[in-house]
Amino acid sequence: VGTLAEIRADLGDCTRCKLHTLGRRQIVFGVGNPHADLMFVGEAPGSDEDIQGEPFVGRAGQLLTKIIEAIDLTREDVYIANLIKCRPPGNRNPEPDEVAQCEPFLLRQIDRIAPRVIVALGKFAAQALLKTTDPITRIRGREYAYRDAVLIPTYHPAYLLRTPSAKREVWEDMKRVRQLLGH
Ligand code: URA
């Protein structure tokens, strides 16, 4: 698996998928506590993340920070990464070949960090990790054994910005996360 620094070094100046030709400024690897009990997995960097080199720093990211703080943790306590590490043009959805090339690096990050709880944010992360094509509405509301962790799928914070009424379900999911962490 290697250390996080070794996993990052293996990505290098990655050219494995077409996103390297489609305007990405930099690879957005991940951020946070390398020994975190709790890890969040998002979809892909957006424009702000592509500029700053850190996941979830734009508007959805500010909401994610609030979600983390709602269970009395900080961004420094947790680890945050994405399913794919480069920004898709125009923030389009990740394509299957991009996920296929990039996902092994996420899996190595998960194995290295060995979190107790993984929160999959939105359909792309949840479907990829759980190897299912079920819709997120069917996936969420349950918990899954995933490697040595419990995986909790929930709605993506960008979806919550459009659909604030879904925050109630995310709060239910986060209460379960807090319970699993035993904080
Ligand atoms: N949305 C994501 O899924 N990931 C980010 O890093 C930012 C927005």
Side-chain angles (χ1 to χ4, degrees):
V1 173
T3 65
L4 288 173
E6 285 164 352
I7 300 165
R8 176 65 189 85
D10 286 347
L11 265 167
D13 187 17
C14 188
T15 58
R16 291 172 182 81
C17 86
K18 58 190 174 304
L19 290 176
H20 80 284
T21 67
L22 295 176
R24 71 121 197 260
R25 288 183 177 82
Q26 57 184 316
I27 292 169
V28 179
F29 182 66
V31 70
N33 177 356
H35 306 291
D37 284 339
L38 174 59
M39 177 167 175
F40 290 86
V41 179
E43 178 179 320
S47 163
D48 297 292
E49 293 77 21
D50 180 57
I51 290 168
Q52 296 185 47
E54 181 172 327
F56 284 101
V57 292
R59 232 157 66 78
Q62 288 164 20
L63 181 52
L64 177 61
T65 301
K66 282 202 214 170
I67 290 168
I68 293 167
E69 290 171 351
I71 55 167
D72 302 313
L73 295 171
T74 68
R75 282 176 71 102
E76 290 71 41
D77 292 321
V78 306
Y79 193 87
I80 306 172
N82 283 308
L83 175 61
I84 66 172
K85 310 299 192 222
C86 293
R87 182 196 182 197
N91 298 335
R92 67 152 167 74
N93 291 333
E95 294 180 352
D97 59 309
E98 297 157 4
V99 173
Q101 291 293 334
C102 212
E103 188 180 23
F105 294 92
L106 173 66
L107 300 185
R108 288 175 64 190
Q109 286 173 297
I110 293 173
D111 280 346
R112 163 49 60 169
I113 293 157
R116 291 166 50 215
V117 180
I118 299 169
V119 175
L121 297 167
K123 94 167 194 172
F124 287 92
Q127 288 183 342
L129 292 175
L130 293 171
K131 299 273 167 269
T132 177
T133 55
D134 287 352
I136 184 69
T137 48
R138 181 139 84 224
I139 298 170
R140 99 145 266 291
R142 297 208 293 131
E143 56 195 61
Y144 302 80
Y146 182 84
R147 298 182 183 218
D148 292 329
V150 177
L151 189 146
I152 307 277
T154 196
Y155 296 128
H156 194 287
Y159 172 73
L160 297 183
L161 291 173
R162 301 189 299 271
T163 315
S165 58
K167 285 180 182 172
R168 207 180 59 79
E169 285 143 292
V170 173
W171 174 235
E172 293 303 319
D173 299 334
M174 293 307 294
K175 280 194 288 192
R176 179 61 182 147
V177 168
R178 182 162 62 187
Q179 195 174 50
L180 287 165
L181 291 172
H183 294 163

